[in-house]
Amino acid sequence: MKRALIAFALLHATVHAAFEQAGPDLFVWRSTCNSYVLRDGDAALLFDLGDGSVLEHVGEIGVKKIDWILLTGHHRELLQGADKIDHTVTQVAAPKAEQELLETPTAFRKWDPRLGDKYTVHGSSYVRPPQSPVKVERWLAADEVFEWHGRQIQCLSTPGHSPGGMTYLLEGGHQTFAFTGGVMHDGAKMTNWFDTEWDYGFAKGLDALIDSVGNLASREIHTAFPSQGPVIHDAAKQFQIFHEKLFAFRPDYVRGYPVGDLSKRGPHPATKPTKAHYIVQVTPHLYMFGPEMAGKNFAILIADSGHALLLDCGLFPKLVLERIISDMKEFLGLKQIDACWISHSHGDHFTLFPALKDHGVKFWTMDTIADKCENPRYYDYPAMIGTYNAGFEHAKIDRILKAGDVIDWEGYKLHIDWMPGQTEFGNALWLELDGKKIVFTGDNLFGDPSDPAQNGHECVNARNSAIIDEGYLVAAKYLQKLQPDIIMGAHGVLMTKPKDFIERYHDWALRAIREYKELLPDTNYEYLFDPYWVSAYPYRVDVSKETEVNITVRNFRNTLQQHRVVLKPPPGLKAEPAELVGTVEPKSRQSFKVKLTPDPDKLPAGVQMVPMDITLDGKRCGELFDFIVLGHEK
């Protein structure tokens, strides 16, 4: 075989209905990902496996034996056919940085998630490991050289799309070629967004991707072979453009205010000190925490009667709560806290739930939030109450409100409205108080309205179910219409004279939407932004007996959408139906009931994954999403 074949003079002849030829001895098989077959005589090296169907067809291009499969990362769609590998013939090599994800995959699906869990965004996992361990014969370190049939393949660490993702560089004909996994999609775009979202708005994953793309841009790569989408022919130029795009996007991704200042700020000039420990006065009837308790959740409205309404309460000790209640009774006329309104689904806003219940406090929140408080384990969202180690796992809501409700309380009219942003599951409460229109907005925006450099947006986090068109933009338009005099953010953030601030917030939301549309290759970018367009409720299912789970499929398009979702339960669990085939009307959701029946003699104990293999309008997406089940000891 001539070494000139490595020059990859890119050809477009079709060898088979599913094979495309990318060079004299390089072929592409497309299933749940792109699998690249590098042939040498009747032997071959395979980059990524996909659903494994490539193994059944390599004979059509004259290959009798695949010596090695090199994985670019741990994501299920890259290797979901691993059970088809005959390891007596074919060996597997993978990035050492992702060893634990491939060897102990269920360790990264928690029945009781906590904030400190590895590879999670406040309890919601951002990795997509296989359903069961994958046998790997060789773990590849960064900058290692893998030799095969006289070829030198450099292993380059390129995290960002995956925590330990790897690119394989191959020289030929004085040119460099790269098998890049999910680092970049053709068109200088992201493969998807949600795989790069590694923290709570601090850009850890994005920065890793920027560094990896910069590294690749410096290497003058002729052609890149990505795990998704077309072969990238003008790779060097595209890496450079992509690097510039990501770098320019970063300031609009990270929070629109100096988040580090939240815990360092002094007294707000609009507040006055009180004799109650930690409590300052905002208006004659409204109080909040002062700077000593910066970042904690506590604001309180005390009526002339002495009855009070709390606006969120969490992240500080019970002893502090008891002290300030005592102080407020002594100095501020407090007699009874009637209720605590919860602004959104995140548990840090009601960690004092048991202590407040001891004081007879009722809890109020909107209908779209209540179940997240009462059954947090049913969801794969960040920051559910159980993740905070608060000593309880769920909170019963006493009064469930609906958007548009107006509550008469102690002579005030409390208006309840849906207000998404940081999360879909938020609400706003506003009222006319002490001559001001005051709105309580939870975590949707923070900052100093007097600083023209700030636009106030909180973290962008897709796992909060937070598509910007349906979230921050809605919040901005809501505030534009409401025209409040004071915005009371959670975590002790007071925003006065916010009119221009709201306009900057609105302009940022529009700009961010444009940027995501430019960064993501699907016309309907939401499919590559939202990690929940196929989802299960409950996400965590106890299968000690026969039970049901609801699978919801979402259509972001203006046209009818076709789907095929195949559930892949573990041994000992039967799903009926195991295959969901149907359509979803434009701009809508549809849910399907699936019965889960365990065989206690065969179902392993502990947490097991149920991946969902998705085909959307004829395009194989693979096992993008999952839910988990709990098997019990026999």
Side-chain angles (χ1 to χ4, degrees):
M1 184 182 64
K2 297 179 180 178
R3 293 295 178 223
L5 64 88
I6 304 177
F8 298 127
L10 297 170
L11 307 175
H12 299 285
T14 300
V15 175
H16 180 270
F19 270 116
E20 299 169 18
Q21 191 164 3
D25 277 284
L26 182 70
F27 305 88
V28 187
W29 179 272
R30 301 185 191 277
S31 61
T32 56
C33 73
N34 298 331
S35 296
Y36 298 98
V37 183
L38 179 60
R39 185 179 64 187
D40 190 348
D42 60 4
L45 182 74
L46 183 64
F47 296 92
D48 288 330
L49 176 64
D51 68 359
S53 57
V54 64
L55 302 176
E56 303 161 11
H57 292 275
V58 290
E60 298 164 13
I61 55 172
V63 171
K64 295 181 180 179
K65 177 188 176 185
I66 294 179
D67 294 331
W68 283 91
I69 301 171
L70 272 58
L71 300 176
T72 59
H74 79 278
H75 288 149
R76 278 194 296 263
E77 66 273 19
L78 303 179
L79 48 81
Q80 65 185 63
D83 59 349
K84 298 179 181 179
I85 300 170
D86 180 353
H87 285 267
T88 65
V89 175
T90 302
Q91 295 181 289
V92 176
K96 183 170 180 55
E98 298 204 325
Q99 183 172 351
E100 60 186 341
L101 292 165
L102 296 171
E103 288 187 336
T104 57
T106 55
F108 305 100
R109 290 294 183 270
K110 303 290 188 180
W111 189 256
D112 292 305
R114 294 294 183 257
L115 293 185
D117 291 341
K118 193 171 185 178
Y119 298 131
T120 68
V121 179
H122 281 12
S124 178
S125 177
Y126 65 80
V127 292
R128 192 163 53 257
Q131 183 180 36
S132 56
V134 173
K135 183 178 180 181
V136 175
E137 281 79 11
R138 182 172 171 182
W139 297 104
L140 301 171
D143 299 321
E144 184 173 343
V145 174
F146 183 92
E147 295 188 14
W148 180 76
H149 286 219
R151 295 171 175 80
Q152 307 287 309
I153 300 172
Q154 183 181 357
C155 304
L156 183 67
S157 177
T158 50
H161 178 65
S162 183
M166 184 162 277
T167 289
Y168 299 104
L169 301 178
L170 188 60
E171 301 291 333
H174 304 292
Q175 293 175 330
T176 302
F177 304 90
F179 298 87
T180 54
V183 173
M184 183 177 74
H185 189 284
D186 188 42
K189 295 178 181 289
M190 303 183 82
T191 299
N192 63 43
W193 167 251
F194 48 79
D195 283 332
T196 301
E197 191 178 69
W198 296 359
D199 61 16
Y200 218 60
F202 294 101
K204 180 180 178 182
L206 181 61
D207 287 344
L209 184 62
I210 289 171
D211 288 345
S212 293
V213 173
N215 189 354
L216 292 168
S218 71
R219 292 173 181 269
E220 293 299 319
I221 294 167
H222 182 269
T223 305
F225 300 96
S227 59
Q228 302 291 341
V231 171
I232 303 170
H233 300 305
D234 50 347
K237 180 180 179 181
Q238 287 206 37
F239 281 125
Q240 185 59 47
I241 293 171
F242 190 40
H243 187 260
E244 292 168 1
K245 277 186 186 178
L246 293 174
F247 191 79
F249 164 71
R250 189 185 187 282
D252 277 330
Y253 166 61
V254 297
R255 290 169 168 86
Y257 64 96
V259 63
D261 290 354
L262 275 184
S263 60
K264 301 173 184 176
R265 62 187 185 275
H268 192 287
T271 64
K272 298 177 182 178
T274 73
K275 292 182 178 180
H277 280 85
Y278 311 125
I279 302 296
V280 297
Q281 186 182 57
V282 181
T283 72
H285 293 88
L286 180 62
Y287 303 86
M288 62 181 282
F289 272 153
E292 303 94 335
M293 297 291 281
K296 314 303 182 186
N297 283 309
F298 184 91
I300 190 165
L301 170 62
I302 303 178
D304 289 336
S305 65
H307 285 256
L309 175 68
L310 269 175
L311 294 308
D312 287 332
C313 187
L315 292 181
F316 59 94
K318 179 182 177 180
L319 287 175
V320 173
L321 177 68
E322 300 300 334
R323 181 169 191 173
I324 60 176
I325 288 176
S326 176
D327 283 359
M328 289 188 296
K329 286 181 176 180
E330 181 177 357
F331 301 117
L332 303 180
L334 175 68
K335 293 181 180 178
Q336 169 65 39
I337 300 174
D338 292 344
C340 178
W341 167 82
I342 300 174
S343 63
H344 62 289
S345 57
H346 293 162
D348 55 319
H349 293 257
F350 53 98
T351 59
L352 273 297
F353 175 84
L356 289 168
K357 294 297 283 186
D358 289 344
H359 283 274
V361 178
K362 303 295 186 183
F363 279 79
W364 301 351
T365 196
M366 216 171 86
D367 52 0
T368 56
I369 303 167
D371 196 50
K372 284 78 181 174
C373 303
E374 296 182 339
N375 296 294
R377 194 179 278 132
Y378 287 7
Y379 298 92
D380 186 31
Y381 296 131
M384 297 288 96
I385 183 59
T387 64
Y388 285 90
N389 287 309
F392 66 104
E393 296 293 325
H394 55 87
K396 178 67 177 174
I397 301 302
D398 300 290
R399 184 172 183 178
I400 297 177
L401 309 167
K402 294 185 181 297
D405 280 354
V406 180
I407 301 168
D408 288 315
W409 176 82
E410 297 296 316
Y412 298 106
K413 290 190 179 298
L414 311 177
H415 299 257
I416 305 298
D417 292 314
W418 177 56
M419 187 178 181
Q422 184 206 40
T423 173
E424 175 187 355
F425 310 111
N427 66 153
L429 183 153
W430 70 270
L431 75 162
E432 299 282 353
L433 177 68
D434 299 327
K436 303 285 186 182
K437 183 183 284 187
I438 301 175
V439 59
F440 299 86
T441 55
D443 284 356
N444 285 319
L445 73 166
F446 295 138
D448 179 1
S450 68
D451 181 355
Q454 296 186 31
N455 55 39
H457 80 84
E458 236 303 268
C459 74
V460 174
N461 192 289
R463 285 179 174 77
N464 275 326
S465 189
I467 299 167
I468 295 176
D469 314 48
E470 304 170 356
Y472 281 119
L473 183 60
V474 172
K477 289 181 176 179
Y478 172 79
L479 292 172
Q480 284 178 322
K481 183 177 180 181
L482 187 65
Q483 297 183 1
D485 299 301
I486 295 174
I487 297 174
M488 289 284 292
H491 299 282
V493 180
L494 173 62
M495 293 162 275
T496 55
K497 299 179 181 179
K499 186 176 185 299
D500 292 341
F501 191 55
I502 292 168
E503 293 306 312
R504 297 194 297 271
Y505 181 61
H506 175 263
D507 292 347
W508 164 81
L510 290 176
R511 187 168 63 250
I513 292 166
R514 291 195 299 270
E515 288 169 334
Y516 275 111
K517 287 182 176 180
E518 171 58 28
L519 280 169
L520 296 168
D522 196 298
T523 302
N524 298 104
Y525 83 98
E526 297 94 334
Y527 290 103
L528 303 175
F529 181 93
D530 180 23
Y532 303 117
W533 59 268
V534 177
S535 63
Y537 178 86
Y539 175 76
R540 295 173 178 85
V541 189
D542 187 328
V543 289
S544 55
K545 59 183 180 179
E546 182 178 289
T547 189
E548 283 188 340
V549 63
N550 285 292
I551 306 301
T552 298
V553 182
R554 184 167 186 186
N555 182 0
F556 292 105
R557 296 176 179 159
N558 292 315
T559 55
L560 191 72
Q561 170 184 293
Q562 296 180 329
H563 65 264
R564 177 174 179 259
V565 179
V566 179
L567 278 65
K568 297 191 171 182
L573 186 66
K574 183 179 181 181
E576 297 177 285
E579 184 174 312
L580 305 172
V581 179
T583 58
V584 179
E585 293 296 318
K587 298 291 184 180
S588 67
R589 296 175 171 91
Q590 188 167 346
S591 295
F592 307 88
K593 288 187 180 298
V594 175
K595 182 170 69 174
L596 300 176
T597 305
D599 181 340
D601 294 328
K602 295 181 180 178
L603 181 64
V607 171
Q608 308 292 324
M609 268 187 276
V610 183
M612 295 182 282
D613 191 347
I614 301 159
T615 301
L616 179 67
D617 288 335
K619 179 184 177 182
R620 288 294 304 281
C621 301
E623 298 174 3
L624 283 182
F625 310 122
D626 61 55
F627 61 95
I628 61 177
V629 298
L630 183 65
H632 294 267
E633 296 289 346
K634 300 173 182 60

